[in-house]
Each structure stands twice: as structure tokens, then as C-alpha cells.
Amino acid sequence: MIFARSDVIVKLEECLDGRISAATLATWAFDRFYAVEQEALTVDAGDGDVIAEVLDALMFADDPSFALDETDLRRLIVRLQEP
């Protein structure tokens, strides 16, 4: 299965809209990060670094010391939309 930037954007938007919590987003990111690492999910070679960076930022976002606010989440979306 191909895991794309758009998949991450969808989850970020769900969090911004209040459909999922920061904890749910962090768990999702953690699961995807390790699925990619273990090659259970495939990422386009050109997208690998940016997806890994964003997932890394999200994995711990439920911890108050790593919490991301709305501005941070929107910056991640912009980062994912860059070529």
C-alpha cells in the first residue's frame, strides 16, 4: 500500500476540525511511522523524508512538552504541500 503526503494531510485536517484528538493523531502517526520503517507501507522515494519528519513531529504531540497548536499543524500541512 502506498502511503502519501495526502494521507497525512487528511489526518492533520481531521485534528484541526476537532474530529480526532491530539492523542489519536499521535497514535496514528506512531503506527504509520513504524509501518513505513518496517516496510508494511510504501512511501514514494521523493516523499520519504518529509513524511518521516512530519510523522516524527506528530508522534509525541500528545505530550504537553511537544504539543502542537493550530499554527503548528497548519505549518505541517504547508510543508507537506511543498514540492
Side-chain angles (χ1 to χ4, degrees):
M1 175 179 181
I2 300 290
F3 184 59
R5 292 176 187 224
S6 60
D7 298 320
V8 184
I9 291 170
V10 166
K11 283 298 183 189
L12 289 166
E13 290 172 343
E14 287 178 5
C15 188
L16 286 167
D17 292 344
R19 290 180 278 159
I20 63 171
S21 67
T24 299
L25 181 61
T27 299
W28 177 87
F30 181 86
D31 291 344
R32 294 313 173 279
F33 184 86
Y34 285 101
V36 170
E37 287 292 310
Q38 295 186 2
E39 299 179 3
L41 288 175
T42 303
V43 176
D44 182 56
D47 294 342
D49 289 342
V50 69
I51 287 175
E53 289 171 20
V54 171
L55 291 177
D56 187 55
L58 295 173
M59 286 192 302
F60 305 105
D62 58 336
D63 182 312
S65 60
F66 295 104
L68 301 173
D69 63 15
E70 180 179 346
T71 301
D72 296 323
L73 296 177
R74 292 195 185 283
R75 282 187 190 133
L76 292 175
I77 290 172
V78 169
R79 175 72 175 107
L80 289 163
Q81 292 172 332
E82 293 174 351

